[in-house]
Amino acid sequence: MELHESGGVGETVDAVVQFALQALNCSYAGVALAVRGRPEVPAATDPMVAEIYRWQMTAGTGPLVEVMQGRASLLVRDTATDQRWPEWAAKVRSLGVRSVLDVPLATTASIVGVLGLYSVEPDAFGTDDEAIARILARHASVAVATARNEATMDQAVDARKLVGQAMGILMERYGVDGDRAFAILRRYSQDTNTKLRDVAQQLIDTRRLPR
């Protein structure tokens, strides 16, 4: 599937929502990702989807919140009759949305996000739609997790490069060896409660250690 060929988390989730529009009977689609314990909305086919997500994040209630906390899909057949989240349903209905299907993007370790599907028609999502959405979500979960892992690895490589450059500056300026230069950076990191890569970046930018 092309999802796995996307170049990063942003491109991956954009591909996910476009696949959803093509493969399912939905009017809008969006992806919310769990980032440092809070949902973020990196992709949506309409600004309205991000607005629906934000309502739930602010209120701490709604199908998105429930799916993020559990591992099961949630279907709202009709926002005009569903009684589980009445305030949310009323707001969503005011935007013309009648059906909602939220499917978790889950790995074996955790839920990485939610694929949200929205239709202006009541009872738009049947059993086949749910099955296809779950298949799409599984592909998306792997793609998002892979993209995140690659991004984390890239950040680690960048951090090592920065620390190496900073050590070189200290070694040249003070005539110390590599072990001593690293110990100096680590001490400043601990004393100032600053990440090691940030201490290194500041030294490279200003040629001074943070005070």
Side-chain angles (χ1 to χ4, degrees):
M1 225 176 152
E2 295 172 20
L3 290 174
H4 299 291
E5 299 172 5
S6 297
V9 173
E11 292 179 26
T12 299
V13 292
D14 280 335
V16 168
V17 296
Q18 293 306 320
F19 268 106
L21 282 184
Q22 295 169 19
L24 295 160
N25 181 34
C26 62
S27 309
Y28 317 103
V31 166
L33 297 180
V35 179
R36 291 180 292 278
R38 287 190 58 80
E40 292 186 3
V41 186
T45 60
D46 190 281
M48 178 186 68
V49 174
E51 187 176 357
I52 292 172
Y53 284 152
R54 279 194 292 271
W55 282 341
Q56 297 176 81
M57 295 174 202
T58 301
T61 184
L64 170 72
V65 176
E66 301 255 346
V67 173
M68 279 284 192
Q69 293 174 346
R71 301 187 70 85
S73 301
L74 277 175
L75 173 63
V76 177
R77 294 188 179 279
D78 192 346
T79 55
T81 58
D82 194 279
Q83 298 298 314
R84 287 171 290 183
W85 311 279
E87 187 176 349
W88 169 85
K91 289 181 177 179
V92 173
R93 190 168 64 253
S94 73
L95 297 174
V97 172
R98 296 291 297 273
S99 304
V100 180
L101 175 60
D102 279 343
V103 181
L105 307 186
T107 65
T108 53
S110 64
I111 293 176
V112 297
V114 174
L115 170 63
L117 309 174
Y118 302 85
S119 176
V120 297
E121 300 294 332
D123 207 14
F125 304 114
T127 304
D128 290 344
D129 294 297
E130 289 191 59
I132 294 170
R134 283 194 291 269
I135 293 169
L136 179 57
R138 282 200 294 271
H139 282 281
S141 302
V142 173
V144 170
T146 299
R148 281 186 168 180
N149 184 54
E150 290 173 352
T152 301
M153 291 174 65
D154 288 344
Q155 289 172 1
V157 170
D158 289 343
R160 285 197 293 271
K161 288 179 181 178
L162 288 174
V163 171
Q165 291 177 38
M167 287 171 59
I169 293 171
L170 291 175
M171 291 166 69
E172 181 179 358
R173 177 174 295 180
Y174 298 110
V176 297
D177 62 15
D179 289 343
R180 179 61 180 157
F182 182 75
I184 292 170
L185 289 174
R186 186 172 59 183
R187 190 188 78 234
Y188 271 89
S189 172
Q190 293 171 343
D191 290 350
T192 61
N193 195 28
T194 306
K195 290 182 179 179
L196 186 63
R197 73 176 309 282
D198 294 336
V199 172
Q201 184 70 68
Q202 184 169 341
L203 176 59
I204 293 166
D205 292 343
T206 66
R207 291 301 192 269
R208 296 179 182 178
L209 286 164
R211 295 186 180 277

